[in-house]
Amino acid sequence: MSGRITKAAVIGAGTMGSGIAATIANAGVPVALVDLADFADTAVQRMTKQQPSPLVTKSAARLIETGSLDNGGLELVADADWIVEAIIEDVDVKRDLYRRLEDVRKPASVVTSNTSTIPISELLVGAPETLVPDFAVTHFFNPPRTMRLLELASGAETRPEAVETLARFADVALGKTVVRCKDTPAFIANRLGCFWLSCAIAEAVDRGLTVEEADALLGRPFGIPKTAVFGLMDLIGIGVYVHITASLDRLLPEDDLWHALTHKTELLQRMVDKGLTGRAGGGGFYRLDRSNGSKTLNALDLGSLEYRESSVSLAVPVELRELVEQADRYGECAWAVASKTLAYAAWLVPEVADRVSQVDLAMVLGFGWQHGPFGLVDQLGAGWVASQLAAEGVTVPESLIRAAARGGFYDHSGAEKRELAVDGSLRSVPRPDGVLLLRDVKRRSEPLAANEAGSVWDLGEGVACFEPHTKLNVLDLPSFELIEQTIELVGADFQALILHTEADHFSAGANLKRIHELVVAGAFDEIERFLSAGQRAFELLKRAPFPVVGAPHGLCLGGGCEILLHFFGVPATTETWMGLVEPRVGIVPGWGGCKEMLLRAFARPSAGGPIPPVRQVFELIGAAATSTSADHARELGFLRPDDRVTRNRDRLLADAKAFALELADGYAPPEVVMLRLPGPSGAAALKLDVETCALAGGISEHDRRISAGLTRVITGGDADFVEPVAEHAILVLETAVNLELLATEPTVERIAHMLTTGKPLRN
Ligand code: NAD
């Protein structure tokens, strides 16, 4: 491999192989996908229909060329710089494939295996010598598009430059967080994760706990997703888990603590024999019973293996230390799982990785833990954990003794988070080049301005960052007040502003709760003030004398989408879901969303007369279309063709900052645009579309009213325009139409329903 990956190949088109091929295609890199028979072809067809899809757009599938190994398909990998093997977890079948690969692959290409458990030293037994320097492991997690962890292990003889090229490609192009592992069985996350799961199952079963009790204990207090242990087993699949544990039984050294666990294999095997294999198999430790026309959650009785209705009313302390010190079987179970798992993790360093932060990162990204095992030790108190283990007669791992002496595995006192290294020194937790994290900035500085809705941070080099921090980052009057204050502050002392948050979602839009309260109170003057405050804030951002750059991730809905539409440049992550979903709550975009979409539609070279762009906006907003990726957002027009996609979320802020600085040089805000709108005659044409849809039974009476409102806004209202109008005229219409819609009962019902259920009401 010459340092660049311009073409890749994946062999094995099952769950992982097809997902990996899609992830490579999503990055715009051509990839061959081969399997036996016509499996690769079928897999690609399936992925284009799957929801959620592994592909960021349907057109990304065109970059995947499929082939059959039965029909010379292996030739397709001949010009690939990187070949990923993702076939069944059988060492002999894998070795056989590697031998065949040597006849076709180009010199200096790199071959990696996606094995979950088998170390390179095992995989390469009997391999051609030429393969050895070109071989590594790239262990993706399922599903490969969204799971950010990639474990990268290299063998003793793997070419370092090939590993670096792979790591860079996986990080920048595929958006993965690359965790370097040693070449040991199951690498990091599965090694520790399986130990934790097996240990938890055994401790719970031995104490006669129900699956719900165990999950309540072993989930939240540990900062672990609520699927906890048994729920997670169902997701993994009981049969798959049994297979992985058998592999670990075979591969782990005899003195490994893994072998001291009682694995309850008999229980798991009985479940598999009964067909209770987990979610994909229709039920495992839990099952959703739909037999009575409603959904009831059932849980498995671990003795009889019969289902009963799930119930748990266990009051569990939120504090982990309080839980593990609780003097009953719940506290004992929690301590047994914590002490064994955390001690095992401590033994694994430096065997599986040189740094404790890498082990923590693997568990955070691979298993969704909020803190890794070493973060948990620090939470409990490293000295306390060590003394408890010693008091129980357990040998205390050396790394834990060191941590106990220094007060923990991590040091948070300075500007940078530091970790305890194997040699006893404190070292900065590493950040790859080109990664800028807001949480690091926040650790070492005070906000420039802040209120309950957000904070403003100094990112250096004259760039400031506005960070919203309400629940789901909903926008409200305090947000607008802070935006206005920020604009003054940035205008005086900075060159550019970025809007960014490290929360899961950029913004779910306007504070619906406030709108509901105001509507119920009949405070329509206040609603008007709320609408105009948003319009004013977004307008100020748009016309600021410095560039404002949005850097979103996750949901950007309603007002959260509208704010972004006002900026010239938006680098977004792959997982950016944008939509003007206002009609779902009975209104139309009211903070300039209609206006901005019209401006975009009219600016297209192929816009044609006034009707086609207006119809395009009508269809998009009327359907409340939401993108399922940033690439899709670009297709829908929420992102411009020039807006960039940052694949790796950790790189988003740095990319946004570089982009903002590029724009700042000679920046001039956009000028006010005059629009030639079609007026009532255009509205009549769109009304016909709505009526056709209504005849087909597709919309309700209230949908029709919302459509009429939307039509009025985007066609320019009642006046027959002879002359073009300034874009701001649309804002006035947005407000008028929303005030009318908010005064209707069905809109109030839609808002109330969304607030209570999180789902749209079709009324
Ligand atoms: P899978 O069973 O879904 O797919 C395996 C594919 O390999 C099948 O399409 C099969 O036709 C193909 N295959 C079998 N023998 C072959 C051969 N000789 N030549 C070419 N193709 C062959 O399996 P999967 O879950 O995608 O796992 C693939 C690899 O990824 C395994 O090594 C597994 O341990 C690893 N892995 C799986 C997961 C997971 O969650 N499923 C996660 C990480 C790693």
Side-chain angles (χ1 to χ4, degrees), residues 11-12 16-17 20 74 84-102 111-120 122-128 131 135-139 187 243 247 250-251:
I11 306 175
M16 295 306 291
I20 295 167
L74 205 56
V84 188
E85 168 275 300
I87 66 170
I88 49 168
E89 188 79 338
D90 180 317
V91 74
D92 294 322
V93 182
K94 287 184 193 281
R95 285 174 186 160
D96 180 53
L97 177 68
Y98 303 153
R99 278 190 286 274
R100 290 167 60 201
L101 263 182
E102 280 315 89
V111 179
T112 65
S113 174
N114 190 54
T115 175
S116 315
T117 53
I118 313 170
I120 297 170
E122 284 267 325
L123 290 170
L124 290 186
V125 171
L131 178 63
F135 193 87
V137 160
T138 45
H139 182 215
F187 313 103
H243 192 69
S247 194
R250 188 175 67 80
L251 293 166

Side-chain angles (χ1 to χ4, degrees), residues 439-476:
R439 55 182 172 275
D440 288 347
V441 174
K442 287 161 74 173
R443 197 195 318 277
R444 56 175 182 252
S445 58
E446 292 295 318
L448 301 165
N451 68 6
E452 70 266 38
S455 301
V456 186
W457 302 95
D458 182 351
L459 299 181
E461 296 173 79
V463 181
C465 176
F466 178 97
E467 178 204 24
H469 48 56
T470 50
K471 188 175 175 200
L472 278 172
N473 295 323
V474 293
L475 298 161
D476 203 336

